[in-house]
Amino acid sequence: MNSYSFSLLTETPLVEMDDFENIRMQLIQVECIDALIHSVNDNLVLDFERRAESVEAAIETVKEALSHTHIKVTDTVIMGQ
């Protein structure tokens, strides 16, 4: 297994501290506590470094977990590509 770094861009707002806490709780509930949380243009961005068989498998695992939250992923940026 290799380690892959990627960012998930979302349309989920991250402006207020309450937004951050709500998102943090959602990530804990779906076991994505390894996400680095930040914002770009007031929208949530999640950075991950995951071990998996492929970058696609790493991304799919995270997206599947996030499908059980209110976080809406709009794009993926793979680091180093």
Side-chain angles (χ1 to χ4, degrees), residues 9-80:
L9 311 179
T10 76
E11 62 182 34
T12 304
L14 181 61
V15 181
E16 304 290 329
M17 191 57 163
D18 289 343
D19 298 334
F20 177 84
E21 288 301 319
N22 180 21
I23 289 164
R24 189 176 68 82
M25 292 307 297
Q26 289 182 60
L27 292 171
I28 289 170
Q29 290 173 349
V30 296
E31 300 179 358
C32 284
I33 57 174
D34 59 329
L36 176 63
I37 304 168
H38 60 102
S39 68
V40 173
N41 298 325
D42 295 332
N43 285 331
L44 171 68
V45 176
L46 300 171
D47 294 337
F48 290 91
E49 186 167 327
R50 288 273 174 115
R51 293 186 58 74
E53 293 295 325
S54 67
V55 68
E56 293 83 7
I59 293 167
E60 186 58 35
T61 301
V62 172
K63 284 185 174 182
E64 170 60 28
L66 293 178
S67 72
H68 302 287
T69 70
H70 294 99
I71 299 168
K72 305 229 187 295
V73 176
T74 58
D75 203 1
T76 304
V77 177
I78 301 170
M79 305 307 173

